[in-house]
Amino acid sequence: MGMSAPNPTPGEPSLGALAGAGGALPPADMPVPEAVDVLVVGGGVNGVGIARDLAGRGLKVLLVEREDLAQHTSSASTKLIHGGLRYLEYYEFGLVRKALAEREGLLRGAPHIMRPLRIVMPHDPSMRPAWMLRAGLFLYDHLARRELLPGSTSVNLRRDVTGRALKSHYTKGFVYSDGWVDDARLVVLCAIDAVQRGATVLTRCACRQVLRSTEGWLATLDTADGRSHTVKARALVNAAGPWAAQFLQSAAQRQDVKALRLVKGSHIVVRKLFEHDHAYIFQNPDKRIIFVQPYEDEFTLIGTTDIEHGGEPGAATIDPEEVQYLCEQASRYFAEPIVPADVVWSYSGVRPLIDDESADAAAVTRDYVLELDTTGGAPLLNVWGGKLTTFRLLGEEAANLLGGPLQVTRGAWTHGAVMPGGDLATYAGQAADARHPEQAMQRFVQVMQQRHPTLPLPLLRRWARQYGSRIELLLANGTPGPEVAPGLHEAELRYLVQHEWARSVDDILWRRTKLGLHLNDAGRRQVAAWCAQHIPAPAARTTPMEKAWS
C-alpha cells in the first residue's frame, strides 16, 4: 500500500488523492495473490459491487473476470438508473421501491457518468387509460423519498418541444424522472474503487476449478499469459451472471444448481431523431414498452426486446426480427418512420433472471436472490438475478451476509459514497446548488477550462463526462499527446491501459468509451494499430466483437 495523500484544499483535489490508495502499481500490473479472504468470480456490475463493498470493510479481496470488465450483460443495458415503471403492473412494489430509493444516491455519487433524465410518455388511448397512467406515476413519485428528481406532470404535446418529432395525433402525455448511466464505466469505476481500497482485480483471468474444504477454497486460475495460479480463499462469491449456474457445474462440480432464465435484450442505435434532451417511453400493442433516448450527442438509442435465449450467453446478437420490431414500435410514434437501414449500431445482452415460471419473458422478475451456503464447508455466496440500479444494495446485502462467517467488524459504508472521479462538488466551491449533479458538472468543466486552456472544449467535455476529476490523472504528463484517431489522444489511451484494464481495441472503443460510434473504419484501424504496438501480447488481441456496426 502506498502512503496516504495529504488532504486537498477546497476546490483543489491533489493528484495523490485522485490516484487513490491502490499503491504504486496500476491495476493492470497487479500480481496474483496467494491467499485472500474472498474470491469473487465475475466482472459484471454485481461482482465489482460486491468486491468494492467487501474491500471497503477491510477484507482482502480478489476479483477475477475471464474476459473484460462489463464485456457482456453489464454493458448491454438500456443505460437507465430507474425504478422500473412497468414493473408496477406486475405488482413488483418491493423491487420498484428498492430501485427508486437508490436513484438519487447513485446520481450524487457519480455525477460524471450519471445524470437526471426526464422521460416523456405519450398517451395512446388504445393502450392504457389515462387514469391508470396517473395512478402508476403517483405511486412512482411516492414509493421512495425524492429530493433531487422532480415529480411527474402532464404535458401538452401540441405545444411542448417533445411533441414536435411525434405524429400529430399524440396530443397529450406525461413526463416523469429517472436517471441515465454509462453502464460499462460504472463497472470500471467500481473496480477502481475496490482496488483503491485494497482489492486485486484481474481481467483475462479464468477461474477453472474451485475445491472446497472446511478451511477454505482452493482455486485454480488461468491468466492471459498461459500460466496457472493457485489461490486460497476463505469464501467464494459466484457472481458470474448468465454463467453462474454453468460455473457451479463446471468449476465446482455442483449439480444442485438453481434454474436461471436467460432473456436476451437487444438495442439499436440510429442517427439523432430529435434535438431536446428528454427520453421517451412508448407503449406497444403487445403490452411491452421501449425506451427511446438521446445517445452520444449525435445518435438515438432504442430498446429493448425480451427474447428467450437458449444459446451461449456470450454469443448473443440481435436478430433481424428484433431490429424490425424496434423500428416498427418506434415508428408508431414518430412522424418520420424508422427502418432497419437507419440502424448504425446494435448490441445485445443476456439477462440472468430468476425463473419464476412466468409465461411472458417480459414479466419475469428483475429482482435478485443472494444464496449463502455454509453447509458444505467454507462460505459460498451465489448471486442470482439482479438489475443495474440495485447493484449497490445487492453488494451491501452480500457483504452483510458474508460478515458473520468471516467475522467482519466494519459495517455498511457505500450509501452516499462517491465513485472515483465523482467528487465534482469539490470544484464548485461555494457555488449555489453545488450538490446538484448537473450544476456540479458545469462548474467542474469551467474549472478544467481554466486549468487546461489549450484543450479543445469538446474534448474537455467528453473527458469530464467519462472521467470526472480523474482527468488530472489522465493528464499527469501535462499534455494530451498525439492524436491517434480523431478525438482520441495518446494520453487517454495510456490512461485506459494503465488504470482501467483496457487490453483491446474493443475495450477502448465500445466499453471505456463509445468512440467506435464516432470513428470510421480508418479511425478504428488506427486505434487497433496503436493497441498492437503498445499493449503486450497476448492481451492485445482483439476480443470477439459481440456488437456489430454498419
Side-chain angles (χ1 to χ4, degrees):
M1 298 292 290
M3 294 179 61
S4 59
N7 292 326
T9 56
E12 296 286 334
S14 70
L15 186 58
L18 291 166
L25 286 174
D29 296 329
M30 301 183 80
V32 180
E34 294 182 358
V36 295
D37 292 314
V38 183
L39 170 63
V40 180
V41 178
V45 70
N46 290 332
V48 296
I50 293 170
R52 171 188 180 232
D53 195 304
L54 289 170
R57 300 191 194 205
L59 293 175
K60 188 173 183 180
V61 179
L62 168 63
L63 181 143
V64 296
E65 163 56 48
R66 66 179 181 178
E67 298 180 274
D68 183 30
L69 297 172
Q71 182 159 331
H72 296 289
T73 304
S74 293
S75 63
S77 78
T78 312
K79 323 300 181 191
L80 295 178
I81 293 294
H82 68 141
L85 181 62
R86 72 181 181 90
Y87 303 146
L88 293 175
E89 282 194 320
Y90 301 112
Y91 306 106
E92 295 256 21
F93 300 117
L95 172 63
V96 175
R97 183 183 292 108
K98 279 194 298 189
L100 289 174
E102 284 293 288
R103 294 178 305 174
E104 295 200 1
L106 295 176
L107 287 166
R108 285 195 168 103
H112 48 326
I113 62 163
M114 301 186 191
R115 59 178 177 269
L117 182 67
R118 293 289 275 173
I119 303 175
V120 180
M121 179 190 293
H123 179 228
D124 184 342
S126 68
M127 297 288 103
R128 298 161 176 87
W131 68 264
M132 182 182 292
L133 298 179
R134 290 192 188 96
L137 289 170
F138 178 85
L139 278 174
Y140 207 71
D141 285 343
H142 294 90
L143 276 173
R145 182 180 178 183
R146 286 180 297 104
E147 295 179 349
L148 172 65
L149 298 174
S152 60
T153 184
S154 58
V155 60
N156 185 334
L157 296 175
R158 288 176 294 188
R159 298 178 181 176
D160 194 80
V161 64
T162 59
R164 294 176 187 172
L166 303 178
K167 291 179 178 178
S168 58
H169 63 267
Y170 294 108
T171 60
K172 63 181 180 180
F174 304 90
V175 185
Y176 69 96
S177 292
D178 266 322
W180 181 92
V181 61
D182 186 327
D183 50 7
R185 291 211 57 75
L186 174 63
V187 175
V188 169
L189 292 185
C190 284
I192 291 172
D193 202 8
V195 169
Q196 290 179 345
R197 298 175 190 278
T200 299
V201 174
L202 302 176
T203 61
R204 273 76 181 187
C205 180
C207 184
R208 175 161 49 88
Q209 185 181 54
V210 288
L211 298 175
R212 189 183 200 181
S213 71
T214 56
E215 297 178 356
W217 291 88
L218 194 63
T220 302
L221 309 179
D222 295 336
T223 48
D225 57 9
R227 292 188 294 174
S228 291
H229 305 260
T230 300
V231 176
K232 296 178 181 179
R234 295 170 59 202
L236 174 67
V237 174
N238 171 22
W243 292 273
Q246 181 180 324
F247 170 75
L248 286 180
Q249 292 167 342
S250 63
Q253 293 82 49
R254 291 277 297 269
Q255 300 305 317
D256 53 331
V257 176
K258 185 180 293 292
L260 283 179
R261 194 161 175 178
L262 302 183
V263 176
K264 181 177 65 168
S266 297
H267 297 74
I268 59 174
V269 176
V270 299
R271 294 289 175 183
K272 183 188 289 190
L273 298 177
F274 45 86
E275 295 298 326
H276 58 82
D277 62 357
H278 285 35
Y280 295 95
I281 181 173
F282 292 157
Q283 305 170 79
N284 306 336
D286 59 5
K287 301 301 181 181
R288 293 200 67 258
I289 55 95
I290 61 170
F291 289 96
V292 180
Q293 53 187 299
Y295 192 59
E296 287 293 307
D297 296 328
E298 302 170 20
F299 302 94
T300 300
L301 176 64
I302 304 173
T304 182
T305 59
D306 278 306
I307 305 292
E308 299 281 356
H309 184 74
E312 168 63 21
T317 57
I318 195 168
D319 298 324
E321 294 78 12
E322 291 178 279
V323 175
Q324 187 66 38
Y325 172 84
L326 293 173
C327 289
E328 287 178 355
Q329 300 312 314
S331 296
R332 292 183 60 252
Y333 288 86
F334 285 114
E336 294 293 327
I338 301 161
V339 298
D342 296 329
V343 177
V344 298
W345 186 48
S346 66
Y347 62 85
S348 300
V350 176
R351 309 181 194 101
L353 306 181
I354 301 167
D355 192 354
D356 59 5
E357 300 183 357
S358 299
D360 181 6
V364 182
T365 181
R366 267 56 175 176
D367 211 344
Y368 57 82
V369 171
L370 300 177
E371 181 183 68
L372 179 63
D373 175 13
T374 58
T375 58
L380 167 65
L381 180 66
N382 292 307
V383 180
W384 307 109
K387 65 195 297 280
L388 191 70
T389 308
T390 54
F391 88 93
R392 187 208 64 82
L393 189 61
L394 183 153
E396 182 175 276
E397 292 180 8
N400 289 341
L401 282 174
L402 289 170
L406 297 180
Q407 299 178 321
V408 179
T409 57
R410 298 185 193 177
W413 63 273
T414 58
H415 180 69
V418 176
M419 286 285 185
D423 54 336
L424 304 187
T426 308
Y427 291 79
Q430 301 301 315
D433 298 323
R435 285 284 289 161
H436 190 287
E438 288 303 288
Q439 273 70 45
M441 173 58 71
Q442 292 173 13
R443 177 57 182 158
F444 174 71
V445 171
Q446 293 172 357
V447 172
M448 288 299 102
Q449 280 184 280
Q450 297 167 3
R451 292 189 184 182
H452 308 283
T454 61
L455 282 181
L457 185 56
L459 178 64
L460 179 59
R461 284 175 173 161
R462 179 175 73 79
W463 281 0
R465 280 293 182 191
Q466 291 180 186
Y467 308 111
S469 61
R470 289 175 69 85
I471 286 180
E472 301 284 27
L473 185 57
L474 189 156
L475 287 171
N477 292 328
T479 171
E483 192 173 45
V484 175
L488 182 58
H489 293 256
E490 188 162 72
E492 182 175 8
L493 287 167
R494 292 189 180 278
Y495 165 81
L496 292 174
V497 171
Q498 293 172 6
H499 297 281
E500 293 198 0
W501 297 273
R503 284 295 178 269
S504 77
V505 63
D506 288 354
D507 298 353
I508 292 165
L509 294 184
W510 298 103
R511 285 181 285 276
R512 305 305 184 278
T513 75
K514 293 297 183 290
L515 289 176
L517 268 174
H518 301 274
L519 296 177
N520 57 21
D521 288 341
R524 296 185 194 113
R525 286 194 296 269
Q526 288 170 320
V527 179
W530 188 94
C531 291
Q533 182 179 355
H534 292 90
I535 301 177
R541 65 184 183 274
T542 300
T543 56
M545 190 62 185
E546 73 277 15
K547 302 165 184 174
W549 65 84
S550 59

